[in-house]
Amino acid sequence: LEHPEHSRFCGVSWNDANENCKLSRHCPSGDSSECLGDEDCYSFLSDCNYVEMMGGPGAAAASISGGGEGNSGRLPSDDPSRNNYCGWDWNDALAGCSKDDHWCPSGSDSDCPGGKVCFAGTECKYVSDLSPTLTPTNRPTYPPTLRPVVYNTVENTRFCGDGWEDARTTCRIASHCPSGSNSDCYGSQVCFSWITG
C-alpha cells in the first residue's frame, strides 16, 4: 500500500491532484506524459492511494488482468525496486532471492520479515507479478561479469585505522587492507580484521 507509484496522480497542481484524485488520473510511472493537457504527475499525495481506491491489494491485483507492462498498478520489469531484498546481511539477502516475502519494494526495512534489513541493488529480482509475453523477445547479450565477491571473508573485513574503533568508524575503500599487512595503511595506521559497520 505504501509504494510511491500508488500515490501518483495527475493535476494542474499538487493540491488539485490531491483533492481531485480518481482512477482516471492515476500516473503510476510518475511521468507527466500519462496526464491530459497541461496536467503534471504529482507523487506522495496524502489523500490518494490507487490500491485503496481499488478496494485493497487483492482487488487491485485482480483488476490488472491480461498481463503486459502497460497496465497501471504493476511495476515496470526494469524498475530498480524489484532488486530490493531483505536479509540479515548482503549474503543473506541474496540467499532469500526465491522468497517473495523477502522483497522490500519500498526500500524500507519495515517491508522485511523478522527485523531483517532491506538491501537495494541485489542480484535478486521480484518477478511474481510479471506475465510472459505472447511472443518471445530477443534475449539481450551481456558481457561476462566478474566472479561474485563473498563479503563475509576476512579479506573483505580488513581496514586501516589508528585503533580498532577508528578502523570500524572510518572503514571505506581507501582504508581497505585486504592483505592484512600494515604496509597497506597510511602512516602509522594498523590493519585490523573483522571490521563490520
Side-chain angles (χ1 to χ4, degrees):
L1 290 175
E2 302 284 330
H3 198 279
E5 77 169 17
H6 298 158
S7 63
R8 292 178 181 150
F9 287 84
C10 300
V12 293
S13 67
W14 188 92
N15 284 334
D16 173 54
N18 194 46
E19 293 169 7
N20 301 300
C21 58
K22 53 187 174 184
L23 293 176
S24 63
R25 295 178 89 186
H26 185 226
C27 51
S29 73
D31 191 335
S32 294
S33 66
E34 292 181 285
C35 301
L36 300 174
D38 60 350
E39 292 182 336
D40 289 312
C41 185
Y42 294 90
S43 296
F44 304 108
L45 302 175
S46 57
D47 297 330
C48 304
N49 187 298
Y50 171 80
V51 174
E52 290 172 359
M53 294 169 96
M54 293 300 296
S63 73
I64 306 168
S65 59
E69 290 180 25
N71 296 318
S72 61
R74 180 174 295 153
L75 288 173
S77 64
D78 60 349
D79 189 294
S81 69
R82 287 187 177 280
N83 301 102
N84 298 346
Y85 269 77
C86 304
W88 296 114
D89 57 29
W90 181 266
N91 289 332
D92 187 51
L94 294 179
C97 283
S98 62
K99 301 173 185 169
D100 286 348
D101 72 326
H102 281 55
W103 178 47
C104 42
S106 72
S108 169
D109 295 346
S110 64
D111 290 341
C112 298
K116 291 188 176 190
V117 177
C118 184
F119 292 89
T122 70
E123 295 172 12
C124 304
K125 186 170 185 175
Y126 179 76
V127 295
S128 294
D129 65 333
L130 297 177
S131 301
T133 58
L134 295 177
T135 57
T137 56
N138 291 333
R139 178 179 223 126
T141 55
Y142 299 104
T145 58
L146 297 174
R147 207 171 130 214
V149 174
V150 179
Y151 291 93
N152 61 352
T153 63
V154 69
E155 294 83 9
N156 293 320
T157 62
R158 290 179 178 152
F159 293 91
C160 300
D162 292 323
W164 191 88
E165 184 62 21
D166 179 55
R168 188 186 71 76
T169 58
T170 61
C171 62
R172 57 185 49 85
I173 291 174
S175 65
H176 188 222
C177 51
S179 72
S181 171
N182 294 341
S183 64
D184 290 340
C185 301
Y186 295 107
S188 62
Q189 289 185 331
V190 177
C191 184
F192 293 89
S193 298
W194 296 111
I195 302 292
T196 59

